[in-house]
Amino acid sequence: MRNLLVHYGTPLGAVTAADSVSFSLRAGERLGVVGESGSGKSTLALAILRMIKPPGRIDAGEVWLDGVNLLALSDEAMRQVRLARIALIPQGSMNSLNPVMRIKDQIADALRDHGLAPSRRQVEERVRELLESVGLRPEVADMFPHELSGGMKQRACIAIAISLRPRVIIADEPTSALDVVVQKQVMETLARVQKDLGASVILVGHDMGLMAQFVDRLGVMYAGRLIEVSPVRDIFTQPLHPYTEMLIASLPSLEQKGTFRGIPGLIPLLRDLPPGCAFHPRCPHAVDRCRAEEPRLREIRPAGWAACHLR
Amino acid sequence: MVQRSRHQRFGRRDFIRTGTLAAGALAVAPALTATAQPATAQPRTVARNRTLTLVWTGSREGRWIDYELWNPYAIGSNHQNGPGILYEPLAYYSAFADKEYLWLAESYKYSSDFRELTIKTRSGIKWSDGTPFSADDVAYTLNSLKELGPKVRWGVDVQQFMQEAKTTAPNTVVIKFKVPAPRFFYFMTYKYDIGVYIVPQHIFSGQDWTTFKHFDVAKDWPVTTGPWKVAFSSPQQKVVDRRDEWWAAKAGLAPMPKVERNVWLPSAGEQQLAQALITNQVDFGPSLQPATHPTVFRQNPKIVTHTGQKPPYGYMDWWPISLYVNNEKPPFNDKDVRWALSYFIHRQQIIDVGYVGASQVAPLPLPEYPGLRPYIASVKDLLAKNNTLEFDPKKGEELLTRKGWKKDGAGIWTDAQGGKLRLDIIGFGASGPAIGPVLTELLKRQGVDASFSLPPDFDDRFQKGQYTGAIYGHGGSVNDPYHTLRLYQSVSVAVPGAHLVNFARWKNEAYNKIVDDVFVTDMNNKARLTELFHKAMEIWIPELPDIPLVHNFHRIPMNTTYWTNWPTEQNAYVNGAFWHLTYAIVLWNLQPTQ
Amino acid sequence: MRSATAALHYVRRNISLAVGIVLLLALALFVGIGHLVVDTGKSRPLSAPAVRPPSAEHPFGTDRQGRDLLATMVAGTPLTLRIGFIAGFLGVGIGSLLGFVSAYYRGTVDTVIRGVVDIGLTVPGLLVLIIIAVSVKKGLTVDQMAIIVASLAWLNPARTIRAQVLSLRERGYVEVARLSGMSGPEIIVKELMPNLLPYLAATLVNAVSSAILASVGLEVLGLGPIDSPTLGMTLYWVNFNAALINGWWWWWSAPLAIILVVFLGLFFLTVGLDEIANPRLRRAV
Amino acid sequence: MRADYLARRVGVFVLIVWLAATLNFFLPRLSGQDPVRATLLQQASLGGHVQTGLEAMVKEYERRFGLDRPLWKQYVTYLRDVSRFDFNYSISSYPRTVNSIIAEAIPWTVGLLGITTVLSFTIGTLLGALLAWPGAPRWMRLLMPPLWALHAIPFFLLGLILMYLLAFRMQLLPMFGGYTAGAFPGLTLTFVGDVIAHSILPALSIVLVATGGWALGMRGMMVTTQGEDYVTFAEAKGLRRLTIFLRYCVRNAILPQTTALALALGNILSGAVLVEVIFGYPGVGTILFHAIRENDHFLIQGIVFTVIVALGVATLILDVLYPLLDPRISYRRT
């Protein structure tokens, strides 16, 4: 992915939700993306799927998958790519399933719309297989979403996501609304199916603890920009960007699951970004250059990238 | 729940399928029910130029609600809506020709004290089912009315006067009265909306008159003596066809009507009526607004009225319109206040604005008909002294000022106690909206705090005296002054249990006595009647119980495309209201043009 | 100043709101300037020659009873709006009070209020209106007309506002307010009301427009204040005098045009307010 | 569980019907008007002659209709009669029964309003759905303002304008009534065509106004639905636009519309009094108008009761069937 630029048109002018975001993903790799809410991480997930809704739009950039630039594909071709090559496990699984359709129908229509229209019996069989692979009983196929628990729903979503054996799975805060035990089960399920498929995973979220356990590499986003990408171990031991540093410092402890706590200052409004480094008003180390010039993401140490003038 | 949800698979689709079916069924429902309503055979076809189609407002919101009711005595029934031409009377009276047509009766004679009436009926009359008509039918009709009293129409009127009716021979019926009743035969005679319908004893006896409908096309019901039969009846139309057997034609009393079919359509409003007249769909209809007539003439020159195509586009009704004030409520119990109001009203403006000039002022609450003209002429002297038509605000102001009224800061008349001269006028029908706003404005300009409204319960308020002012007419005399005079009678010695239609709630002992005298006077003793009328008016005019305004006109459009010889000014054989009981006379006279 | 420009900006984006405001402003201008320039006394009968088409002297023409129609429109439009506003305000006032109380307190109060509303909605409106019209023994005034219309105008607001409050009261901040010891009325006024304001405004505009509709309907049927030159009464006279077929087009086109402007204006205002209350709608216009 | 639910729903239904029936028993009597007198007087006024026996007749028929008895006795009789669906005689058209009058009018109203309601619902919902769908052709957007404008015009005003244009000026359609005056009902093509021709004007005025309403409602629901997570997820599933549109947006957005449709269908009996009155359509609306004007207690009670029952039944059916449409709603909830 290179130089992705996403704008949102608002009544008061365009807003840059993602700017010059670049990274690469290897087959079978698990990449995490963290950031505060509004930092552009969900936008990133949607952008990869080319699902940015008007008034937002992707202005520039390339998303390469197996030698194909997704952003250059026709709408129809892109539609075929979704689920078949890149699948999404949605945030807020509570509402991600159509409440008035049976689970199996929600799996079946994905199969059908990707040109796989096998017989009814084959569909049922495939559905059972998929449900089994995420650890759900076959009866679930005939149920409606409201008859399932949160964890079951999320597993159903995973079942849908893997139904066409995608190369990349984007999981957008897949566990945000679940309790710890269920969270763990779901993540285990996700890890298992990923392994079975040999797919890469982009895990979007703000739970550092979860990231630490699950991903290989971690990207940090701030104000629509990717400010650091490093192997997960490196990030926790030696963060490169001051923001990452503060982020990690704010965790109660590494072993415990935790979320962000007090970083001084406010997240800047996307439509009203400060000049220079977007983080400088909150950065304790800010120098004049930070206020004037926007830093670029560069490799600071092997496999460790950051966008900071101070490094 | 999990288990159950599996059984619902079929549900939604079934639901949608049923819904679609139901929607389809809905589409044809009106057509089907309209068909199913009267399960009778289709009536035969009658050519348009032998059909007389009329529109009448006796319907409600565009539909006949009484289409099954052909028993004219049931209270829901109304002779205006069709039954009027089916049942024949003992006699007809045309006020315009001032002529009586003895009909089922051949002759009648009162005893000298007017306590007994002997009627001879014609022979050779047959009911439509072939049964011979006889005096028994007359006696049966009258005795039943007496017995049923308030349960049926006209029952009380008969009950008040009649002791009994008895047949003394097949064609003779003798009626004994409780009190002298010199107007009983006249009462039974068809004119305007009053008259007794003679019904067949062999059909009606044993039936409950209050609920009997007398309608069955298959049985050729209703059974009547007239030349008509009901061919079809529904909320949308009543079709009455000619019967080819009619005693009166055989007897040479009247020509067989040329009209072969009468269609009564419910009224849908003035615009629809005008439209239908222009396109010759309709031959005869209820009054149009005076301003609409020229529009209709312009588009269909074949339409005429009583006065051709000239104003007032109609004939004078028996219903002169007054401004009623409640004589029981101060300050309107004061005749000077009533007279002041009269002087305040510029009647010609009401005519000019309310009726585009197409009307006529009314000095008295009587129509100026041939039979009444002598009486009206006889009170000229009284009207000269107290001109009921005079517009002279000065005189009105004088009257009020003399009684201690003063105009307040806002120019409103106020009495000594500070009470305003407030007159809340109510109205209804066509006369209310036509007159009300203009009248109110005229009174306001003279300092009367007047208002106008059209309450839905006008009749109720008016009859119970829950009003201060009202616009209403007088359904009284057409040839004999008694009927108008009695409208102001507050009590009667001569007629025990007489009703009160004294809407103005005016009371005058001397007047009451005079009207009682009129009541027992022979209708033909015109000299005596004129004398009594003058005496009554000597009281009435200075008192002015209600304030006469204008005459009412029936501006009936008549279409000469298919039919001619309509009742008009030049040819005034009868008044042209087809809803009146004399419509039969019009039907005798109409001639086809094609 | 800044907020004013912001508001202006917003209005420019919210086309419906703009259209509604422009239409109603135009009407207000018409009435306002009319009252200065035109003698509204000419809306009484006998003040002009009868049935004249528009001319320099009578720009809107005159009617059968000699009313100048321009004067009638100038005098009548505010009367019709007055009926609408009185009835609308009363209706929404009573309706929202009941709606708030019903939804906030639930339980028996709710059952009773909801029952009353449900049953009230079964009564044919015309019946109630005629019964009240009948019991007014004097000539009906414009304000009485408004109250008659208001007698039914509270039912629908009560129902819809109740539903809105029901969904709101489950929100977190209401819970927080309750836990922090705020009293019921306080929560209703401080927490619920402000959040429902755009919705209430839309409901109000809606209620005003239905009230005008009801009053015009009654008036066309002849059940209105005969004496007053309201728009509905003007249409009643149009109908009574068969102006349509007599070709007196100016007589009905003026009130019709004004009624259309009123309804369209109010309608676009509601749509605009809806967009504020429910920003998602904005997108798809 | 289901039987329980049904029993409870029916119980609530009966309670509502009873209360509403009670209210509608007392309301017409509140006006203090005497329907017998009003009817007789109105007839008399038509002819300009007030009959001698009027006062006595009023008394006689008040007794016959039981209107002279104490109110509570009348009420008890009323409840008994109503429970048997017997509404007694009509006061204003005695001796016709209320039932026969209503039976005559219902098919017309159900036909006209049933069709127009279903039609405007279908068109409106479809339009509303398309209007909210980004994939819809651009010209569809142009439909929105006229739809809105039409929706803002009251039924009867639009009816009058249409009548003037189509029936009066162009003379394309009949102005008034259920079928041509002088035509005899029969199951012939001409007659059915005639009935349909007569229904076009009133139908058009209803459809034009109501369609806008349904479209607006549907559009609002669609916009809300499109923001739902499951629609986003459906898109991420790579579904076709049409699939998402039909199965994820329309299918869900239509649910509240369906509720409204059921209520609208339940309400059709009393829904369009003015339209029916203006076009002289021989339906329940004109009868109700007539009954109210004449203060015909029994006829009012009969019609209102029928309307309440129709509405109640519609709601009941909806409540029972709704879970089929929306699996989230279970039978256990009221």
Side-chain angles (χ1 to χ4, degrees):
Chain A
M1 169 174 305
R2 253 179 249 151
N3 292 329
L4 194 68
L5 182 65
V6 179
H7 277 132
Y8 276 91
T10 75
L12 298 169
V15 160
T16 310
D19 193 357
S20 311
V21 177
S22 302
F23 62 87
S24 61
L25 185 67
R26 285 180 296 276
E29 187 192 16
R30 299 171 181 177
L31 172 72
V33 178
V34 290
E36 290 163 291
S37 16
S39 61
K41 51 192 197 303
S42 286
T43 302
L44 181 68
L46 289 176
I48 296 170
L49 284 159
R50 264 180 57 190
M51 278 171 51
I52 302 292
K53 286 274 151 49
R57 65 176 191 278
I58 302 171
D59 286 333
E62 295 160 6
V63 179
W64 292 91
L65 177 70
D66 296 340
V68 180
N69 180 5
L70 299 184
L71 298 190
L73 285 176
S74 71
D75 283 353
E76 176 57 22
M78 185 60 217
R79 180 180 74 75
Q80 295 285 358
V81 167
R82 291 185 198 129
L83 197 66
R85 317 292 306 276
I86 307 177
L88 175 79
I89 296 171
Q91 184 180 20
S93 57
M94 287 306 167
N95 300 315
S96 290
L97 292 168
N98 188 344
V100 300
M101 281 172 77
R102 284 168 216 284
I103 301 299
K104 67 169 177 214
D105 294 331
Q106 305 199 36
I107 300 177
D109 60 10
L111 299 178
R112 203 174 311 115
D113 276 9
H114 281 89
L116 308 168
S119 71
R120 194 191 195 92
R121 234 197 35 235
Q122 282 170 301
V123 170
E124 301 231 333
E125 195 143 316
R126 179 84 183 107
V127 169
R128 190 171 326 116
E129 258 173 52
L130 284 168
L131 292 176
E132 215 169 307
S133 69
V134 294
L136 289 171
R137 286 170 293 130
E139 292 95 85
V140 170
D142 277 323
M143 292 190 184
F144 288 102
H146 71 278
E147 294 167 318
L148 306 179
S149 71
M152 288 163 87
K153 273 190 232 179
Q154 193 57 288
R155 281 162 200 256
C157 287
I158 296 174
I160 292 173
I162 61 169
S163 59
L164 294 174
R165 314 186 67 83
R167 301 270 291 114
V168 179
I169 297 172
I170 302 170
D172 186 2
E173 304 204 27
T175 58
S176 55
L178 304 174
D179 66 54
V180 189
V181 182
V182 181
Q183 233 177 41
K184 196 160 180 240
Q185 291 170 349
V186 168
M187 291 315 290
E188 277 164 5
T189 308
L190 182 58
R192 198 176 63 242
V193 298
Q194 185 231 358
K195 214 163 280 164
D196 292 349
L197 290 176
S200 327
V201 168
I202 300 174
L203 180 66
V204 178
H206 55 228
D207 186 336
M208 294 294 268
L210 196 75
M211 293 290 174
Q213 290 167 22
F214 188 78
V215 301
D216 307 325
R217 245 179 350 135
L218 189 60
V220 180
M221 286 196 78
Y222 184 78
R225 283 149 184 83
L226 200 56
I227 51 155
E228 177 163 3
V229 184
S230 286
V232 70
R233 229 177 316 276
D234 296 351
I235 268 203
F236 279 99
T237 50
Q238 273 193 313
L240 290 172
H241 199 280
Y243 175 67
T244 319
E245 204 174 324
M246 290 168 74
L247 215 58
I248 295 185
S250 71
L251 290 178
S253 92
L254 252 183
E255 272 58 47
Q256 266 178 326
K257 130 190 150 54
T259 49
F260 300 124
R261 284 191 320 181
I263 296 179
L266 289 168
I267 307 169
L269 289 172
L270 282 176
R271 65 156 180 269
D272 206 10
L273 282 186
C277 176
F279 186 61
H280 81 253
R282 293 163 83 184
C283 183
H285 319 295
V287 296
D288 284 350
R289 191 177 169 210
C290 298
R291 292 181 188 94
E293 193 188 327
E294 193 179 341
R296 299 187 55 81
L297 194 65
R298 50 203 170 86
E299 193 162 17
I300 293 181
R301 62 173 177 237
W305 295 65
C308 183
H309 294 307
L310 302 175
R311 293 278 173 183
Chain B
M1 276 218 335
V2 174
Q3 291 82 350
R4 206 193 47 249
S5 62
R6 222 164 287 146
H7 301 298
Q8 291 170 11
R9 261 207 80 76
F10 59 93
R12 194 185 317 141
R13 260 170 220 128
D14 267 11
F15 180 50
I16 292 163
R17 195 173 306 136
T18 321
T20 319
L21 276 177
L26 285 180
V28 286
L32 281 175
T33 31
T35 314
Q37 270 165 19
T40 51
Q42 295 257 324
R44 66 198 173 97
T45 319
V46 173
R48 173 67 183 94
N49 59 16
R50 290 292 177 280
T51 304
L52 189 134
T53 306
L54 60 82
V55 165
W56 174 231
T57 46
S59 51
R60 308 287 159 72
E61 284 83 42
R63 54 196 287 137
W64 297 113
I65 54 167
D66 61 352
Y67 71 94
E68 296 175 320
L69 268 184
W70 294 90
N71 162 16
Y73 287 109
I75 60 154
S77 173
N78 191 343
H79 60 249
Q80 296 187 331
N81 302 348
I85 61 164
L86 289 162
Y87 298 89
E88 293 188 310
L90 293 169
Y92 289 101
Y93 173 74
S94 162
F96 279 24
D98 194 13
K99 184 175 168 192
E100 182 182 58
Y101 300 81
L102 285 174
W103 207 246
L104 296 176
E106 196 172 50
S107 66
Y108 65 97
K109 197 176 173 343
Y110 287 100
S111 65
S112 58
D113 61 355
F114 294 107
R115 283 179 175 268
E116 197 178 284
L117 170 64
T118 308
I119 300 170
K120 283 212 181 330
T121 59
R122 286 180 204 275
S123 42
I125 301 176
K126 278 189 176 152
W127 292 100
S128 54
D129 62 355
T131 314
F133 164 86
S134 77
D136 284 333
D137 291 310
V138 179
Y140 169 74
T141 302
L142 289 173
N143 285 327
S144 304
L145 288 176
K146 187 211 158 196
E147 201 141 308
L148 292 165
K151 294 193 180 73
V152 291
R153 321 185 104 225
W154 306 123
V156 176
D157 303 65
V158 173
Q159 212 174 35
Q160 267 175 2
F161 298 102
M162 201 183 83
Q163 192 74 54
E164 71 165 331
K166 222 173 166 173
T167 1
T168 53
N171 67 341
T172 310
V173 58
V174 176
I175 303 164
K176 287 203 162 61
F177 300 119
K178 297 171 180 166
V179 290
R183 285 173 180 78
F184 196 76
F185 190 82
Y186 179 73
F187 156 69
M188 291 195 292
T189 301
Y190 274 13
K191 76 266 147 204
Y192 292 84
D193 280 306
I194 302 172
V196 169
Y197 337 104
I198 306 300
V199 296
Q201 177 173 18
H202 65 285
I203 304 285
F204 274 63
S205 90
Q207 300 283 3
D208 176 356
W209 279 32
T210 60
T211 54
F212 182 44
K213 291 178 182 161
H214 199 200
F215 177 54
D216 189 341
V217 173
K219 283 207 261 182
D220 264 344
W221 277 15
V223 173
T224 67
T225 55
W228 304 102
K229 66 171 183 194
V230 179
F232 182 85
S233 196
S234 77
Q236 281 75 37
Q237 61 183 332
K238 297 182 181 183
V239 178
V240 174
D241 281 358
R242 194 178 69 192
R243 267 198 312 127
D244 294 329
E245 283 283 302
W246 186 35
W247 66 270
K250 271 194 202 156
L253 266 181
M256 194 65 165
K258 303 291 191 303
V259 173
E260 290 177 27
R261 167 167 290 167
N262 249 290
V263 180
W264 268 262
L265 298 179
S267 166
E270 176 138 332
Q271 308 191 12
Q272 279 82 356
L273 173 59
Q275 190 77 0
L277 284 165
I278 290 165
T279 52
N280 290 324
Q281 288 169 285
V282 165
D283 302 299
F284 215 1
S287 286
L288 290 171
Q289 298 272 329
T292 307
H293 280 285
T295 306
V296 173
F297 300 151
R298 223 177 302 127
Q299 297 180 62
N300 187 351
K302 291 279 193 183
I303 307 293
V304 297
T305 65
H306 183 75
T307 48
Q309 300 192 336
K310 296 191 306 288
Y313 316 114
Y315 75 82
M316 186 185 288
D317 190 25
W318 68 328
W319 207 70
I321 300 170
S322 283
L323 167 62
Y324 281 76
V325 289
N326 191 334
N327 282 254
E328 282 176 346
K329 288 195 184 167
F332 304 106
N333 52 356
D334 180 349
K335 72 178 166 64
D336 286 338
V337 173
R338 299 196 290 267
W339 266 104
L341 290 178
S342 177
Y343 285 130
F344 285 162
I345 299 168
H346 193 325
R347 290 166 177 79
Q348 193 55 43
Q349 280 213 303
I350 293 178
I351 290 174
D352 288 347
V353 177
Y355 294 103
V356 277
S359 188
Q360 191 183 321
V361 292
L364 291 172
L366 294 106
E368 282 150 41
Y369 283 172
L372 290 173
R373 271 182 207 134
Y375 300 105
I376 295 170
S378 78
V379 295
K380 280 238 153 63
D381 56 327
L382 300 175
L383 285 172
K385 253 187 282 167
N386 291 296
N387 186 353
T388 53
L389 294 176
E390 192 172 355
F391 169 64
D392 190 345
K394 284 258 151 45
K395 283 193 184 173
E397 281 171 26
E398 230 169 82
L399 283 174
L400 288 180
T401 315
R402 214 183 312 138
K403 283 287 169 82
W405 292 83
K406 270 201 224 52
K407 277 196 177 176
D408 70 2
I412 305 285
W413 288 103
T414 314
D415 65 13
Q417 285 77 46
K420 284 190 175 147
L421 184 54
R422 190 180 163 124
L423 185 62
D424 294 306
I425 304 169
I426 56 173
F428 82 110
S431 57
I435 297 175
V438 185
L439 178 62
T440 311
E441 182 63 25
L442 287 171
L443 290 171
K444 274 185 185 164
R445 291 186 175 185
Q446 301 302 334
V448 180
D449 185 11
S451 77
F452 177 67
S453 61
L454 294 165
D457 58 342
F458 172 89
D459 291 304
D460 202 43
R461 290 190 198 183
F462 188 54
Q463 221 233 350
K464 289 181 178 159
Q466 295 164 348
Y467 75 97
T468 52
I471 296 166
Y472 201 76
H474 305 75
S477 302
V478 294
N479 62 337
D480 171 24
Y482 168 71
H483 296 97
T484 295
L485 292 179
R486 79 169 185 160
L487 295 179
Y488 297 93
Q489 211 178 9
S490 54
V491 70
S492 173
V493 179
V495 194
H499 77 298
L500 308 173
V501 275
N502 182 359
F503 296 126
R505 313 210 146 219
W506 173 69
K507 290 190 182 64
N508 188 296
E509 281 308 318
Y511 179 88
N512 290 347
K513 259 183 62 77
I514 298 168
V515 180
D516 274 350
D517 276 355
V518 175
F519 174 72
V520 292
T521 306
D522 183 358
M523 280 175 70
N524 297 310
N525 189 351
K526 307 247 159 120
R528 172 77 179 138
L529 285 177
T530 310
E531 189 193 326
L532 287 170
F533 181 70
H534 196 275
K535 273 174 74 181
M537 283 295 128
E538 277 167 34
I539 300 171
W540 192 93
I541 292 175
E543 277 277 325
L544 206 68
D546 60 44
I547 300 150
L549 297 174
V550 293
H551 279 296
N552 191 42
F553 281 83
H554 280 312
R555 300 179 179 82
I556 299 170
M558 302 179 278
N559 191 339
T560 58
T561 304
Y562 299 110
W563 299 100
T564 59
N565 204 26
W566 295 97
T568 60
E569 207 168 21
Q570 282 79 37
N571 186 17
Y573 51 86
V574 74
N575 61 321
F578 51 82
W579 56 94
H580 284 162
L581 286 161
T582 45
Y583 178 34
I585 302 178
V586 178
L587 287 167
W588 304 341
N589 282 280
L590 286 181
Q591 297 299 324
T593 58
Q594 302 168 10
Chain C
M1 196 55 222
R2 205 185 130 87
S3 68
T5 14
L8 212 63
H9 267 292
Y10 178 72
V11 168
R12 210 188 300 157
R13 280 252 330 141
N14 191 334
I15 297 164
S16 313
L17 195 67
V19 171
I21 291 175
V22 166
L23 284 177
L24 293 178
L25 270 183
L27 202 63
L29 273 180
F30 167 72
V31 172
I33 296 178
H35 268 276
L36 295 177
V37 181
V38 182
D39 171 15
T40 49
K42 287 230 157 50
S43 65
R44 284 164 62 169
L46 306 178
S47 51
V51 262
R52 292 292 153 85
S55 64
E57 204 181 337
H58 304 287
F60 285 19
T62 67
D63 79 354
R64 262 271 310 274
Q65 286 164 347
R67 294 183 179 91
D68 176 75
L69 285 167
L70 174 60
T72 308
M73 293 304 107
V74 169
T77 307
L79 292 181
T80 295
L81 293 178
R82 186 186 167 90
I83 295 177
F85 278 103
I86 295 180
F89 270 98
L90 280 177
V92 172
I94 300 170
S96 49
L97 181 73
L98 291 177
F100 275 112
V101 168
S102 178
Y104 185 78
Y105 290 101
R106 313 263 278 261
T108 325
V109 184
D110 183 33
T111 313
V112 170
I113 292 177
R114 211 182 48 190
V116 168
V117 170
D118 279 355
I119 292 161
L121 285 169
T122 68
V123 179
L126 202 59
L127 178 63
V128 178
L129 299 176
I130 289 187
I131 286 170
I132 301 178
V134 162
S135 51
V136 175
K137 290 292 179 195
K138 299 272 162 64
L140 209 58
T141 65
V142 166
D143 289 351
Q144 282 166 332
M145 186 76 196
I147 298 197
I148 289 176
V149 174
S151 66
L152 289 173
W154 56 275
L155 290 166
N156 264 319
R159 200 154 78 158
T160 53
I161 289 167
R162 174 183 170 274
Q164 286 291 324
V165 178
L166 270 186
S167 73
L168 260 192
R169 84 189 284 284
E170 298 309 321
R171 302 273 169 85
Y173 60 89
V174 179
E175 195 59 41
V176 170
R178 202 174 308 147
L179 290 177
S180 67
M182 264 174 142
S183 71
E186 229 176 326
I187 293 177
I188 289 179
V189 173
K190 288 194 182 151
E191 300 290 332
L192 294 176
M193 285 268 200
N195 278 290
L196 276 178
L197 265 184
Y199 184 81
L200 283 179
T203 310
L204 177 67
V205 178
N206 236 333
V208 169
S209 131
S210 344
I212 292 177
L213 179 64
S215 79
V216 170
L218 278 179
E219 287 169 351
V220 168
L221 292 175
L223 298 169
I226 296 277
D227 272 347
S228 310
T230 61
L231 299 176
M233 281 325 302
T234 308
L235 284 181
Y236 167 79
W237 291 116
V238 163
N239 200 33
F240 178 80
N241 290 293
L244 219 58
I245 54 163
N246 283 312
W248 302 326
W249 54 269
W250 60 90
W251 192 349
W252 51 266
S253 25
L256 206 64
I258 292 184
I259 289 182
L260 284 188
V261 169
V262 170
F263 277 111
L264 287 176
L266 289 174
F267 178 74
F268 281 110
L269 204 60
T270 343
V271 175
L273 288 170
D274 259 350
E275 282 179 26
I276 299 177
N278 184 2
R280 265 178 178 172
L281 284 173
R282 220 175 288 162
R283 224 184 47 199
V285 180
Chain D
M1 182 159 34
R2 198 170 187 173
D4 267 15
Y5 170 75
L6 260 178
R8 221 177 117 193
R9 278 301 293 131
V10 172
V12 171
F13 167 64
V14 169
L15 184 75
I16 293 267
V17 166
W18 171 64
L19 286 171
T22 303
L23 185 65
N24 284 296
F25 170 83
F26 287 103
L27 260 183
R29 285 164 172 81
L30 272 184
S31 73
Q33 265 199 86
D34 180 339
V36 177
R37 183 187 302 273
T39 302
L40 291 172
L41 276 169
Q42 223 214 358
Q43 262 185 2
S45 291
L46 261 181
H49 168 70
V50 178
Q51 211 177 316
T52 313
L54 197 112
E55 210 52 49
M57 285 172 88
V58 169
K59 291 235 160 55
E60 168 66 29
Y61 278 90
E62 277 183 348
R63 212 183 60 231
R64 181 166 292 219
F65 292 126
L67 296 174
D68 58 339
R69 295 174 307 157
L71 212 53
W72 69 268
K73 273 193 183 161
Q74 291 185 43
Y75 178 62
V76 170
T77 319
Y78 164 71
L79 282 188
R80 198 193 59 214
D81 289 352
V82 153
S83 62
R84 293 193 302 236
F85 278 88
D86 171 9
F87 300 109
N88 215 325
Y89 288 108
S90 153
I91 296 174
S92 59
S93 34
Y94 185 81
R96 297 203 58 197
T97 59
V98 169
N99 282 348
S100 74
I101 296 177
I102 296 179
E104 209 170 81
I106 278 187
W108 291 93
T109 296
V110 170
L112 176 68
L113 281 127
I115 291 171
T116 50
T117 308
V118 171
L119 208 64
S120 39
F121 171 80
T122 316
I123 302 175
T125 304
L126 213 71
L127 269 181
L130 285 174
L131 283 171
W133 184 247
R138 203 145 252 295
W139 57 265
M140 289 231 31
R141 305 282 161 86
L142 297 176
L143 279 177
M144 207 64 205
L147 267 182
W148 275 355
L150 282 174
H151 180 58
I153 306 176
F155 274 152
F156 59 94
L157 282 185
L158 186 67
L160 283 177
I161 298 171
L162 287 177
M163 194 195 273
Y164 179 72
L165 290 178
L166 297 179
F168 184 71
R169 276 274 131 146
M170 303 189 217
Q171 312 216 340
L172 289 178
L173 292 167
M175 258 192 182
F176 194 80
Y179 55 86
T180 301
F184 294 107
L187 209 56
T188 59
L189 220 55
T190 357
F191 181 71
V192 173
D194 191 40
V195 168
I196 291 173
H198 275 78
S199 64
I200 291 179
L201 265 188
L204 203 62
S205 64
I206 298 173
V207 170
L208 282 181
V209 173
T211 302
W214 291 116
L216 281 177
M218 185 63 181
R219 177 178 158 275
M221 282 316 301
M222 282 292 286
V223 170
T224 313
T225 308
Q226 279 171 29
E228 297 282 354
D229 292 340
Y230 54 78
V231 176
T232 312
F233 186 47
E235 201 182 335
K237 276 157 73 180
L239 297 184
R240 286 177 219 279
R241 277 191 159 180
L242 194 66
T243 314
I244 299 178
F245 178 55
L246 291 177
R247 302 192 61 170
Y248 289 79
C249 295
V250 176
R251 170 74 178 81
N252 293 61
I254 211 166
L255 291 172
Q257 292 278 102
T258 319
T259 318
L261 175 68
L263 291 177
L265 284 174
N267 246 330
I268 59 177
L269 287 184
S270 62
V273 175
L274 268 169
V275 177
E276 285 193 9
V277 169
I278 278 170
F279 288 101
Y281 205 75
V284 180
T286 44
I287 301 225
L288 179 64
F289 181 64
H290 154 74
I292 290 173
R293 289 215 77 152
E294 310 257 303
N295 205 11
D296 188 336
H297 293 350
F298 299 134
L299 196 48
I300 296 175
Q301 283 159 9
I303 294 173
V304 174
F305 190 79
T306 313
V307 171
I308 297 167
V309 171
L311 197 60
V313 168
T315 325
L316 189 64
I317 292 178
L318 180 77
D319 279 358
V320 173
L321 290 184
Y322 202 70
L324 295 183
L325 292 174
D326 186 348
R328 283 167 295 182
I329 309 294
S330 81
Y331 289 110
R332 278 182 304 189
R333 284 180 42 203
T334 40

